[in-house]
Amino acid sequence: MDKSKQSGKKPKPSSSDPVAAMWNVEDVEFLPSFSLDLPGLADENLAIKGADTPSTVASNQRQFRFMGFIREEHKKQMYDLQFFHTCGDTSYPNIFATVGGHRATIYENLPDGSMHPVQAYIDSDTEESFYTCSWSTEKLTGAPLLAVAGFRGIIKILNSTSNSLHRKLTGHGSSVNELRFHPTDNTLLLSASKDESVRLWNVHSSVMVAIFAGDSGHRDEVLSVDVHPSGLIFSSCGMDNTIKLWSLEDVRQSIELASSWEPKPFVGTQAPGASPSSQHQLTESSSTSTGSSSSSSS
């Protein structure tokens, strides 16, 4: 098993291994919510074998069981998986996203344990390798947003309802290892990078709010970041063997200014498909490297 992410040294993707085929998946349509009953998860007294725990489980207790799997055909490392949950929004409890290679895929977890691919984003840059993803919702419409980033250090915000590239955030000097949306403000996104910094973004206005680095910052690449449930502080850790705690109250004024900033128009690429029955994939045009892209339709 590849442990490159744990070591902090992520491999550069190989251009000699092109994707053999791209998925054509149905237009995104999230199904009504339902509960997923996993046998065995309700057992409170299951024993886990270990040094200080019993090695057997009572015969009348059910053990956890394997439900199924999907192997994505790009054959690249799968670095992250995130279920949809943001700011208490539980609209889509059975939807999750994965990232691997230059693609992000959205799945629906079905009651029988199987996984149905709902939507796929395939980046036009075949050298890109996404390491991380995080869910939020669009400020005005409430549409699900999926943030992805990785080797190139560019953060891309995907709108899963309009099937388009919603925002593109640039500023990091190297790869992005982790993304984390704020637990109480769905417009705020933290990114941890190999460039030794953590950055705070407003994804609605496309403003980089703050950079957490310098004398008090990390001395090597930052591997992970997470926000306290209160939203007032966050922590980060990295290759410099340190854990750092940061206050967001210190940048409260910048956060408020960024939230009032009027975002510039951004033209994203819509996936082709004119009818609900048409099949398509969410892709980015190569012209987005210049800051804009064209729309196509069938």
Side-chain angles (χ1 to χ4, degrees):
M1 181 179 293
D2 192 298
K3 299 293 186 181
S4 57
K5 185 175 182 183
Q6 297 179 9
S7 67
K9 298 179 180 179
K10 297 192 171 92
K12 180 178 178 180
S14 172
S15 59
S16 63
D17 183 22
V19 176
M22 295 182 179
W23 284 348
N24 289 320
V25 296
E26 295 179 357
D27 193 354
V28 60
E29 181 179 356
F30 294 108
L31 301 181
S33 61
F34 49 79
S35 61
L36 181 60
D37 182 19
L38 298 179
L41 292 183
D43 294 332
E44 298 179 353
N45 299 316
L46 281 177
I48 301 174
K49 187 174 181 179
D52 300 317
T53 58
S55 60
T56 59
V57 179
S59 59
N60 63 341
Q61 294 179 341
R62 291 173 297 172
Q63 298 186 44
F64 296 102
R65 72 183 177 93
F66 176 74
M67 301 291 290
F69 77 99
I70 283 181
R71 178 176 288 114
E72 295 186 0
E73 78 279 8
H74 55 74
K75 299 180 180 179
K76 300 292 180 66
Q77 294 93 338
M78 305 295 295
Y79 284 117
D80 202 4
L81 181 151
Q82 294 288 329
F83 273 94
F84 179 90
H85 55 84
T86 172
C87 294
D89 188 337
T90 57
S91 303
Y92 314 115
N94 302 297
I95 295 297
F96 66 91
T98 64
V99 288
H102 64 296
R103 112 174 25 188
T105 309
I106 299 174
Y107 292 92
E108 180 190 6
N109 197 16
L110 299 177
D112 62 359
S114 63
M115 293 162 280
H116 171 65
V118 176
Q119 190 181 60
Y121 169 84
I122 303 169
D123 199 89
S124 59
D125 182 0
T126 58
E127 290 293 297
E128 176 65 283
S129 182
F130 293 128
Y131 300 150
T132 179
C133 62
S134 187
W135 285 103
S136 185
T137 53
E138 210 279 323
K139 180 180 180 179
L140 300 178
T141 66
L145 299 179
L146 180 66
V148 297
F151 173 69
R152 293 297 192 193
I154 301 172
I155 303 169
K156 298 184 178 182
I157 313 296
L158 312 175
N159 187 313
S160 300
T161 297
S162 64
N163 309 319
S164 62
L165 180 62
H166 181 67
R167 292 281 187 272
K168 186 159 62 172
L169 308 175
T170 59
H172 278 295
S174 192
S175 58
V176 173
N177 293 320
E178 189 157 59
L179 297 171
R180 191 72 71 201
F181 272 102
H182 193 277
T184 62
D185 186 341
N186 59 6
T187 66
L188 296 179
L189 175 68
L190 284 161
S191 56
S193 174
K194 187 177 180 179
D195 67 7
E196 303 181 7
S197 75
V198 176
R199 302 192 181 212
L200 178 66
W201 310 82
N202 185 301
V203 299
H204 175 69
S205 60
S206 299
V207 171
M208 183 170 62
V209 180
I211 302 175
F212 299 89
D215 291 342
S216 301
H218 288 279
R219 292 293 183 266
D220 206 333
E221 66 176 291
V222 190
L223 297 179
S224 186
V225 62
D226 201 7
V227 193
H228 188 272
S230 68
L232 301 178
I233 59 174
F234 75 90
S235 58
S236 60
C237 65
M239 292 290 288
D240 58 355
N241 195 35
T242 64
I243 301 169
K244 293 185 179 289
L245 198 64
W246 308 86
S247 171
L248 288 174
E249 289 300 292
D250 296 340
V251 293
R252 177 56 54 188
Q253 184 177 4
S254 297
I255 291 174
E256 293 173 356
L257 288 172
S259 65
S260 62
W261 188 269
E262 289 297 324
K264 295 181 179 180
F266 181 86
V267 181
T269 301
Q270 283 197 335
S275 67
S277 60
S278 63
Q279 292 188 331
H280 67 264
Q281 58 207 0
L282 178 62
T283 61
E284 180 195 359
S285 168
S286 58
S287 62
T288 56
S289 59
T290 61
S292 64
S293 59
S294 59
S295 298
S296 60
S297 61
S298 56

